[in-house]
Amino acid sequence: MAAVLAVGGLGASVWYDAHAHLRDGREQSTLTAARHHLAVLRHGVAVTSYANAVTTSRRNGLEASIGATLGQLAGVDASLNSANAGASLEGLGINTLHTCLGGVQAALNQVSANNNAAAAQDISAVSGPCAELDGGARDGLVYPFDFPDPDVITVGSTFYAYATNSVAGNIQIIASSDLTHWSAVGNALPSLPGWATPNNTWAPSVARVNGSYLMYYAVDVAATGTQCISVATAGGPQGPFVDTSAGPLECQQSLGGSIDPSTFIDANGNSYLVWKSGGPGTSRIWSEQLNTAGTGFAAGATPTQLLVPDQAWEAGTVEAPDLVLANGRYFLFFSGNDWNGANYAVGVATCTGPLGPCADAAPGPILSSGSGIAGPGGASVFTDTSGASWIAFHSWIPGAVGFPNSRDLYVRALNLSGAVPSVAASAPG
């Protein structure tokens, strides 16, 4: 249900964008306010999987609300089609609007039939047209639906992206052959171990270790409510990943819990887990070597602190780490500030090795709010088959910042040749 709300909000935004071009400037403030109101429908799903958490009565109410919104959109769309036959909206045809809204309606129908997998497929099928209408190509938006804390890997000629739980299940997974057009694969983690709390899974990281694919993810422990890290395995990148553990891999309960896992594999094939502990004012980023299987820590290994929040822009928080080796240098990408606001941003530190020490590479973030994005974070760095570097991240849409709005998926080119990495201003393609 939540993902469809997100798409409904996008459709509403599309209508307001289109309608604004047909009204005079005196009504702009009214349209802006209305657009913001409808953007709230882009309901964040990072805290729940609606398939189990939404009651029938609530779901019916939400469906009725979306149905009314779609009915309004259909009426306006019809009038636009009649008045603007053969015309385009800033170069985008009316047919693009039809396609996007058609996918919204199809997904809503699937939710009504309790077919979440089909709803995810219908949503992803129109991600391209909906992203076009939301200015994706200009700003790097490639998947205009809620996709927080992304992790992207390259397997052959296919890119796989994983994210915090949503319509498809505990861990979202989508795939692309060109970084621009993405489609849903399904639920990467269909079942949780018995000790874990349902509907509280987020920030996955996937790596291939000794022939197996391992997914590290954050999850709540049912008995204590502590945020911890666990690991699941699969034979391929598309899953399904299976977690048979009797307990979490890492918790650091005395430090406020452990979340945001990320994997790093060095030139010798040694793998490391990098993660965040604590909350605002107490957060730290850590690293520890894993065993050869990747499902536990190496004998004698202990957590090593890599980074603490020591810059003003971080506002006491460093999290969502991603360690990268490029041209003989170790770059630690991380997010800082409040995840729920426009001040959230991506910074980078340089390290002497996977166990540090690390120091900030610049006095400010390398990616922050700007044209088309607000509060970017959760960065994932990866390379394509040609060796080019990319950075995937989530971001709010300006004007719709903070829960319950969506954090959509963006991909931009990344330059790692300088002393401080730089992010391009637009998407691939």
Side-chain angles (χ1 to χ4, degrees):
M1 188 68 244
V4 176
L5 280 172
V7 182
L10 173 63
S13 297
V14 169
W15 175 73
Y16 279 108
D17 283 340
H19 200 49
H21 288 291
L22 305 179
R23 302 287 295 270
D24 63 44
R26 291 173 298 177
E27 297 179 346
Q28 186 60 46
S29 60
T30 300
L31 290 173
T32 299
R35 183 181 181 187
H36 176 74
H37 173 70
L38 288 177
V40 174
L41 292 177
R42 298 167 60 86
H43 183 63
V45 293
V47 297
T48 184
S49 170
Y50 69 79
N52 296 318
V54 179
T55 63
T56 299
S57 60
R58 185 182 177 196
R59 180 171 60 231
N60 290 342
L62 293 172
E63 288 176 359
S65 174
I66 295 175
T69 300
L70 289 171
Q72 180 188 37
L73 293 173
V76 175
D77 182 35
S79 65
L80 284 172
N81 201 22
S82 174
N84 298 278
S88 64
L89 304 173
E90 291 188 347
L92 297 174
I94 294 296
N95 287 340
T96 305
L97 180 61
H98 282 177
T99 301
C100 179
L101 295 183
V104 173
Q105 184 63 66
L108 176 61
N109 292 341
Q110 296 293 357
V111 169
S112 297
N114 295 315
N115 192 339
N116 301 327
Q121 293 290 343
D122 287 335
I123 288 171
S124 63
V126 294
S127 65
C130 292
E132 282 187 69
L133 292 166
D134 221 3
R138 180 182 66 249
D139 302 313
L141 176 64
V142 297
Y143 195 68
F145 314 115
D146 199 59
F147 205 79
D149 313 310
D151 181 58
V152 179
I153 64 172
T154 306
V155 181
S157 60
T158 302
F159 303 97
Y160 292 93
Y162 309 83
T164 290
N165 62 311
S166 185
V167 59
N170 292 315
I171 296 294
Q172 301 185 70
I173 175 174
I174 59 178
S176 173
S177 60
D178 60 5
L179 292 180
T180 301
H181 304 92
W182 295 82
S183 59
V185 174
N187 185 0
L189 186 66
S191 301
L192 295 177
W195 55 265
T197 302
N199 308 318
N200 284 272
T201 51
W202 67 99
S205 176
V206 175
R208 190 170 186 266
V209 178
N210 289 332
S212 295
Y213 285 86
L214 304 183
M215 173 187 288
Y216 303 86
Y217 66 100
V219 62
D220 281 1
V221 176
T224 64
T226 305
Q227 297 175 331
C228 298
I229 295 168
S230 192
V231 59
T233 62
Q238 73 280 3
F241 288 82
V242 178
D243 186 346
T244 59
S245 64
L249 174 65
E250 181 62 81
C251 273
Q252 294 176 297
Q253 188 168 357
S254 64
L255 299 179
S258 304
I259 63 172
D260 294 350
S262 178
T263 47
F264 173 78
I265 301 177
D266 68 17
N268 297 318
N270 300 312
S271 56
Y272 298 79
L273 186 70
V274 185
W275 72 93
K276 170 234 182 173
S277 71
T282 64
S283 64
R284 302 288 187 271
I285 291 177
W286 304 82
S287 178
E288 186 172 355
Q289 185 173 347
L290 294 162
N291 60 22
T292 55
T295 54
F297 293 110
T302 58
T304 300
Q305 182 175 289
L306 296 184
L307 197 68
V308 300
D310 58 4
Q311 296 196 75
W313 73 268
E314 298 161 351
T317 295
V318 288
E319 58 189 13
D322 190 26
L323 184 61
V324 176
L325 176 60
N327 302 317
R329 292 174 298 172
Y330 293 87
F331 291 114
L332 177 64
F333 292 80
F334 64 94
S335 299
N337 214 290
D338 177 12
W339 70 270
N340 202 32
N343 290 327
Y344 202 54
V346 176
V348 65
T350 55
C351 307
T352 60
L355 295 176
C358 304
D360 293 300
I366 63 165
L367 180 64
S368 57
S369 294
S371 175
I373 62 173
S380 171
V381 176
F382 62 99
T383 58
D384 61 22
T385 54
S386 71
S389 297
W390 301 89
I391 184 169
F393 58 94
H394 68 240
S395 175
W396 312 102
I397 298 294
V401 176
F403 183 84
N405 297 297
S406 297
R407 287 172 288 171
D408 302 338
L409 175 64
Y410 291 72
V411 174
R412 293 184 179 180
L414 179 67
N415 187 340
L416 294 171
S417 63
V420 179
S422 61
V423 181
S426 60

Short mmCIF file of all heavy atoms in Angstrom, two decimals, residues 119-155:
data_model
loop_
_atom_site.label_atom_id
_atom_site.label_comp_id
_atom_site.label_asym_id
_atom_site.label_seq_id
_atom_site.Cartn_x
_atom_site.Cartn_y
_atom_site.Cartn_z
N ALA A 119 2.02 -5.84 -7.79
CA ALA A 119 1.99 -4.39 -7.61
C ALA A 119 3.39 -3.81 -7.79
O ALA A 119 3.57 -2.76 -8.43
CB ALA A 119 1.45 -4.04 -6.23
N ALA A 120 4.39 -4.50 -7.24
CA ALA A 120 5.77 -4.03 -7.40
C ALA A 120 6.18 -4.05 -8.86
O ALA A 120 6.85 -3.13 -9.34
CB ALA A 120 6.72 -4.91 -6.58
N GLN A 121 5.78 -5.09 -9.59
CA GLN A 121 6.10 -5.17 -11.01
C GLN A 121 5.43 -4.04 -11.78
O GLN A 121 6.04 -3.42 -12.67
CB GLN A 121 5.67 -6.53 -11.57
CG GLN A 121 6.44 -7.72 -11.02
CD GLN A 121 7.87 -7.76 -11.51
OE1 GLN A 121 8.23 -7.11 -12.48
NE2 GLN A 121 8.70 -8.56 -10.83
N ASP A 122 4.16 -3.76 -11.47
CA ASP A 122 3.44 -2.69 -12.18
C ASP A 122 4.06 -1.32 -11.91
O ASP A 122 4.16 -0.47 -12.80
CB ASP A 122 1.96 -2.67 -11.76
CG ASP A 122 1.19 -3.83 -12.35
OD1 ASP A 122 1.62 -4.35 -13.40
OD2 ASP A 122 0.17 -4.23 -11.77
N ILE A 123 4.50 -1.12 -10.68
CA ILE A 123 5.15 0.14 -10.32
C ILE A 123 6.44 0.32 -11.10
O ILE A 123 6.69 1.35 -11.73
CB ILE A 123 5.42 0.20 -8.80
CG1 ILE A 123 4.12 0.39 -8.04
CG2 ILE A 123 6.39 1.33 -8.47
CD1 ILE A 123 4.27 0.25 -6.55
N SER A 124 7.28 -0.72 -11.07
CA SER A 124 8.58 -0.60 -11.72
C SER A 124 8.45 -0.50 -13.23
O SER A 124 9.31 0.09 -13.89
CB SER A 124 9.48 -1.78 -11.35
OG SER A 124 8.94 -2.99 -11.81
N ALA A 125 7.38 -1.05 -13.78
CA ALA A 125 7.19 -1.00 -15.23
C ALA A 125 7.04 0.42 -15.76
O ALA A 125 7.33 0.69 -16.93
CB ALA A 125 5.98 -1.84 -15.63
N VAL A 126 6.60 1.33 -14.89
CA VAL A 126 6.42 2.72 -15.34
C VAL A 126 7.42 3.65 -14.67
O VAL A 126 7.23 4.86 -14.65
CB VAL A 126 4.97 3.21 -15.07
CG1 VAL A 126 4.00 2.44 -15.94
CG2 VAL A 126 4.62 3.10 -13.59
N SER A 127 8.50 3.09 -14.12
CA SER A 127 9.49 3.94 -13.45
C SER A 127 10.12 4.93 -14.42
O SER A 127 10.38 6.07 -14.06
CB SER A 127 10.57 3.09 -12.78
OG SER A 127 11.33 2.37 -13.74
N GLY A 128 10.36 4.49 -15.66
CA GLY A 128 10.95 5.39 -16.65
C GLY A 128 10.09 6.59 -16.96
O GLY A 128 10.52 7.74 -16.81
N PRO A 129 8.83 6.37 -17.40
CA PRO A 129 7.95 7.50 -17.69
C PRO A 129 7.72 8.40 -16.47
O PRO A 129 7.71 9.62 -16.59
CB PRO A 129 6.65 6.83 -18.14
CG PRO A 129 7.08 5.51 -18.67
CD PRO A 129 8.24 5.09 -17.82
N CYS A 130 7.53 7.80 -15.30
CA CYS A 130 7.28 8.61 -14.11
C CYS A 130 8.52 9.43 -13.74
O CYS A 130 8.41 10.57 -13.29
CB CYS A 130 6.86 7.73 -12.94
SG CYS A 130 5.24 6.95 -13.13
N ALA A 131 9.70 8.85 -13.93
CA ALA A 131 10.93 9.59 -13.65
C ALA A 131 11.10 10.75 -14.62
O ALA A 131 11.55 11.83 -14.24
CB ALA A 131 12.13 8.65 -13.73
N GLU A 132 10.74 10.53 -15.89
CA GLU A 132 10.80 11.62 -16.87
C GLU A 132 9.95 12.79 -16.43
O GLU A 132 10.36 13.96 -16.47
CB GLU A 132 10.31 11.14 -18.23
CG GLU A 132 11.29 10.31 -19.02
CD GLU A 132 10.77 10.04 -20.42
OE1 GLU A 132 10.68 11.00 -21.22
OE2 GLU A 132 10.42 8.88 -20.70
N LEU A 133 8.75 12.50 -15.98
CA LEU A 133 7.82 13.55 -15.58
C LEU A 133 8.29 14.28 -14.33
O LEU A 133 7.91 15.41 -14.08
CB LEU A 133 6.43 12.96 -15.34
CG LEU A 133 5.74 12.43 -16.61
CD1 LEU A 133 4.56 11.55 -16.23
CD2 LEU A 133 5.29 13.57 -17.50
N ASP A 134 9.14 13.61 -13.55
CA ASP A 134 9.66 14.22 -12.32
C ASP A 134 11.05 14.79 -12.53
O ASP A 134 11.74 15.12 -11.57
CB ASP A 134 9.69 13.19 -11.20
CG ASP A 134 9.23 13.78 -9.88
OD1 ASP A 134 8.85 14.96 -9.86
OD2 ASP A 134 9.26 13.07 -8.88
N GLY A 135 11.49 14.90 -13.81
CA GLY A 135 12.78 15.53 -14.09
C GLY A 135 13.97 14.65 -13.85
O GLY A 135 15.06 15.14 -13.54
N GLY A 136 13.80 13.32 -13.95
CA GLY A 136 14.86 12.39 -13.61
C GLY A 136 16.16 12.57 -14.38
O GLY A 136 17.23 12.59 -13.80
N ALA A 137 16.07 12.65 -15.70
CA ALA A 137 17.28 12.72 -16.51
C ALA A 137 18.11 13.95 -16.16
O ALA A 137 19.34 13.92 -16.25
CB ALA A 137 16.91 12.74 -17.99
N ARG A 138 17.46 14.99 -15.72
CA ARG A 138 18.17 16.23 -15.42
C ARG A 138 18.93 16.12 -14.10
O ARG A 138 20.04 16.65 -13.98
CB ARG A 138 17.16 17.39 -15.34
CG ARG A 138 17.80 18.74 -15.02
CD ARG A 138 16.75 19.84 -14.92
NE ARG A 138 15.85 19.64 -13.80
CZ ARG A 138 14.56 19.33 -13.91
NH1 ARG A 138 14.03 19.13 -15.10
NH2 ARG A 138 13.80 19.18 -12.83
N ASP A 139 18.37 15.44 -13.13
CA ASP A 139 18.94 15.47 -11.78
C ASP A 139 19.55 14.15 -11.32
O ASP A 139 20.19 14.11 -10.29
CB ASP A 139 17.86 15.89 -10.78
CG ASP A 139 17.26 17.25 -11.11
OD1 ASP A 139 18.04 18.17 -11.39
OD2 ASP A 139 16.02 17.37 -11.11
N GLY A 140 19.35 13.07 -12.09
CA GLY A 140 19.89 11.79 -11.70
C GLY A 140 18.86 10.83 -11.16
O GLY A 140 19.21 9.71 -10.76
N LEU A 141 17.59 11.21 -11.13
CA LEU A 141 16.53 10.33 -10.64
C LEU A 141 16.34 9.18 -11.62
O LEU A 141 16.05 9.40 -12.79
CB LEU A 141 15.24 11.12 -10.47
CG LEU A 141 13.99 10.32 -10.06
CD1 LEU A 141 14.19 9.72 -8.67
CD2 LEU A 141 12.77 11.23 -10.07
N VAL A 142 16.48 7.94 -11.15
CA VAL A 142 16.32 6.78 -12.02
C VAL A 142 15.20 5.85 -11.58
O VAL A 142 14.73 5.02 -12.37
CB VAL A 142 17.63 5.98 -12.14
CG1 VAL A 142 18.72 6.82 -12.79
CG2 VAL A 142 18.08 5.44 -10.78
N TYR A 143 14.76 5.94 -10.33
CA TYR A 143 13.67 5.10 -9.83
C TYR A 143 12.83 5.96 -8.90
O TYR A 143 13.20 6.19 -7.75
CB TYR A 143 14.23 3.89 -9.09
CG TYR A 143 13.22 2.79 -8.85
CD1 TYR A 143 12.70 2.04 -9.91
CD2 TYR A 143 12.78 2.48 -7.56
CE1 TYR A 143 11.78 1.03 -9.69
CE2 TYR A 143 11.86 1.47 -7.33
CZ TYR A 143 11.37 0.74 -8.40
OH TYR A 143 10.45 -0.26 -8.17
N PRO A 144 11.69 6.50 -9.41
CA PRO A 144 10.95 7.54 -8.68
C PRO A 144 10.00 7.01 -7.62
O PRO A 144 8.90 7.54 -7.44
CB PRO A 144 10.17 8.22 -9.82
CG PRO A 144 9.86 7.11 -10.76
CD PRO A 144 11.09 6.22 -10.72
N PHE A 145 10.41 5.98 -6.91
CA PHE A 145 9.61 5.41 -5.84
C PHE A 145 10.50 5.21 -4.61
O PHE A 145 11.73 5.21 -4.72
CB PHE A 145 9.00 4.07 -6.28
CG PHE A 145 8.38 4.13 -7.65
CD1 PHE A 145 8.89 3.39 -8.69
CD2 PHE A 145 7.29 4.96 -7.89
CE1 PHE A 145 8.34 3.46 -9.96
CE2 PHE A 145 6.74 5.05 -9.16
CZ PHE A 145 7.26 4.29 -10.20
N ASP A 146 9.89 5.00 -3.46
CA ASP A 146 10.63 4.94 -2.22
C ASP A 146 11.69 3.83 -2.26
O ASP A 146 11.36 2.65 -2.39
CB ASP A 146 9.66 4.70 -1.05
CG ASP A 146 10.27 5.07 0.27
OD1 ASP A 146 10.64 6.24 0.44
OD2 ASP A 146 10.36 4.20 1.16
N PHE A 147 12.97 4.21 -2.14
CA PHE A 147 14.08 3.25 -2.24
C PHE A 147 15.23 3.72 -1.35
O PHE A 147 16.31 4.06 -1.82
CB PHE A 147 14.52 3.13 -3.70
CG PHE A 147 15.19 1.82 -4.03
CD1 PHE A 147 14.43 0.68 -4.26
CD2 PHE A 147 16.57 1.72 -4.13
CE1 PHE A 147 15.04 -0.53 -4.58
CE2 PHE A 147 17.19 0.52 -4.44
CZ PHE A 147 16.41 -0.61 -4.67
N PRO A 148 15.01 3.73 -0.02
CA PRO A 148 16.04 4.28 0.88
C PRO A 148 17.25 3.37 1.06
O PRO A 148 17.16 2.16 0.90
CB PRO A 148 15.28 4.43 2.21
CG PRO A 148 13.84 4.18 1.89
CD PRO A 148 13.81 3.33 0.68
N ASP A 149 18.37 3.96 1.40
CA ASP A 149 19.59 3.24 1.78
C ASP A 149 20.03 2.26 0.69
O ASP A 149 20.24 1.08 0.96
CB ASP A 149 19.38 2.49 3.10
CG ASP A 149 18.74 3.34 4.17
OD1 ASP A 149 19.23 4.45 4.39
OD2 ASP A 149 17.73 2.91 4.78
N PRO A 150 20.19 2.72 -0.54
CA PRO A 150 20.48 1.78 -1.63
C PRO A 150 21.89 1.20 -1.58
O PRO A 150 22.82 1.82 -1.09
CB PRO A 150 20.31 2.65 -2.87
CG PRO A 150 20.70 4.03 -2.42
CD PRO A 150 20.17 4.12 -1.01
N ASP A 151 22.02 0.00 -2.12
CA ASP A 151 23.32 -0.62 -2.37
C ASP A 151 23.26 -1.20 -3.78
O ASP A 151 22.34 -1.96 -4.11
CB ASP A 151 23.61 -1.72 -1.35
CG ASP A 151 24.98 -2.35 -1.58
OD1 ASP A 151 25.97 -1.61 -1.55
OD2 ASP A 151 25.05 -3.58 -1.80
N VAL A 152 24.22 -0.85 -4.61
CA VAL A 152 24.24 -1.29 -6.01
C VAL A 152 25.48 -2.12 -6.27
O VAL A 152 26.59 -1.73 -5.89
CB VAL A 152 24.19 -0.09 -6.98
CG1 VAL A 152 24.24 -0.58 -8.43
CG2 VAL A 152 22.92 0.73 -6.76
N ILE A 153 25.29 -3.27 -6.92
CA ILE A 153 26.42 -4.10 -7.34
C ILE A 153 26.29 -4.40 -8.83
O ILE A 153 25.20 -4.34 -9.40
CB ILE A 153 26.51 -5.42 -6.54
CG1 ILE A 153 25.28 -6.30 -6.80
CG2 ILE A 153 26.68 -5.13 -5.06
CD1 ILE A 153 25.40 -7.70 -6.20
N THR A 154 27.42 -4.72 -9.45
CA THR A 154 27.45 -5.07 -10.87
C THR A 154 27.78 -6.54 -11.01
O THR A 154 28.79 -7.02 -10.47
CB THR A 154 28.51 -4.24 -11.61
OG1 THR A 154 28.28 -2.85 -11.36
CG2 THR A 154 28.44 -4.50 -13.11
N VAL A 155 26.92 -7.28 -11.69
CA VAL A 155 27.14 -8.71 -11.93
C VAL A 155 27.01 -8.94 -13.44
O VAL A 155 25.92 -8.88 -13.99
CB VAL A 155 26.12 -9.58 -11.17
CG1 VAL A 155 26.41 -11.06 -11.43
CG2 VAL A 155 26.17 -9.28 -9.68
#
